[in-house]
Amino acid sequence: MAAKLKKRALAEFSYVVTEEPPQPVKKLRLIHQATPPVISLNLSSSNSPQETIFLLCKLEESMPIDKEGAEGIYNELVEHLIGERDSIVRCKIISLFARLALVPGFNTQLLADDLLNRLNSETSHKVLSQMLVSAKTVSQMFSPSSPYIQRFMRAAFKNVSNSDHQVRKSCLQLIGCLASCEQQRKDTPASPDWPVSIQEVLTRYISDEDPRVRCSAFEAMACII
């Protein structure tokens, strides 16, 4: 009897130890990030404005996305711009400046200073208009309290009375963008050179002889209402 009780007790308290299979060792996978390719325009090799435009269009399709690449391209574009006389090529280069400003880490202050200096000396209406368009993009890289906002505003008001409708149109678009960025009151003086308010200046161009200028004036007015 005692043997049966002992056997039953052992059966109740016995258990089976099961060992879990060893977990497979996780292997670290090192991912090697590819270095961005170095982009070189070699604009000096082009023999005509058409070839230069072709190279610039190819660049536009594969703009650099890193700071170093963007600054290298910018320096090359600036160097070529010094001796370039074709207005279409110069417009294309200036338009690419705005694209470079969007690259993270790019020196937008250097680009803004460059654009502002060129705005003071440019004589081609076509190129001047493109500079103002690019300035609109570059200006959005700065905070509303940045002194560059006021500098771009002064440049816009300086050129808004230009005889060319494209220049007037671009100036009004820039004014609308900057006025909205600064969150100025509609009765705020436009600039030290324009003692009247921004709204008054825009009102003048609502009745401009060119419909495209009138449209830009209305759009700029909508930004500050």
Side-chain angles (χ1 to χ4, degrees), residues 6-18:
K6 183 178 180 180
K7 185 177 181 181
R8 182 182 299 175
L10 290 173
E12 290 178 354
F13 289 96
S14 64
Y15 59 91
V16 178
V17 178
T18 57

Side-chain angles (χ1 to χ4, degrees), residues 34-216:
T35 304
V38 178
I39 302 174
S40 179
L41 287 175
N42 195 21
L43 295 177
S44 59
S45 65
S46 61
N47 298 317
S48 66
Q50 290 76 16
E51 288 186 22
T52 305
I53 289 292
F54 175 78
L55 292 174
L56 294 173
C57 288
K58 294 292 289 184
L59 168 65
E60 192 172 22
E61 295 174 358
S62 57
M63 293 290 288
I65 58 175
D66 62 299
K67 174 179 176 290
E68 291 75 15
E71 290 180 348
I73 289 296
Y74 172 72
N75 292 332
E76 192 169 350
L77 291 175
V78 169
E79 183 179 355
H80 183 81
L81 197 57
I82 295 174
E84 183 58 60
R85 294 292 176 264
D86 188 90
S87 60
I88 297 178
V89 174
R90 291 163 65 203
C91 282
K92 189 62 179 178
I93 291 176
I94 296 298
S95 70
L96 292 176
F97 282 177
R99 293 283 302 275
L100 292 173
L102 302 177
V103 176
F106 186 79
N107 190 344
T108 51
Q109 292 187 0
L110 175 65
L111 178 53
D113 288 330
D114 187 13
L115 275 176
L116 287 165
N117 290 333
R118 294 180 188 279
L119 282 168
N120 290 328
S121 58
E122 185 56 54
T123 57
S124 168
H125 289 153
K126 185 179 298 184
V127 179
L128 182 58
S129 176
Q130 181 58 59
M131 285 182 178
L132 292 162
V133 172
S134 294
K136 181 181 176 182
T137 300
V138 175
S139 67
Q140 296 179 56
M141 300 295 105
F142 296 94
S143 66
S145 59
S146 172
Y148 282 97
I149 299 299
Q150 279 292 336
R151 292 179 64 187
F152 278 122
M153 180 70 86
R154 286 195 294 270
F157 278 102
K158 177 182 177 181
N159 293 283
V160 73
S161 58
N162 193 283
S163 60
D164 185 79
H165 73 276
Q166 286 287 357
V167 175
R168 297 199 303 278
K169 174 185 174 183
S170 299
C171 284
L172 291 169
Q173 291 173 342
L174 180 56
I175 290 170
C177 174
L178 296 176
S180 173
C181 176
E182 284 192 296
Q183 298 179 343
Q184 299 187 65
R185 288 169 50 84
K186 61 184 179 181
D187 57 350
T188 302
S191 76
D193 302 325
W194 288 72
V196 296
S197 69
I198 293 176
Q199 187 179 35
E200 288 180 82
V201 173
L202 296 179
T203 301
R204 296 180 183 182
Y205 292 93
I206 288 177
S207 57
D208 192 273
E209 61 183 14
D210 191 284
R212 291 160 292 190
V213 176
R214 296 199 299 270
C215 181
S216 294

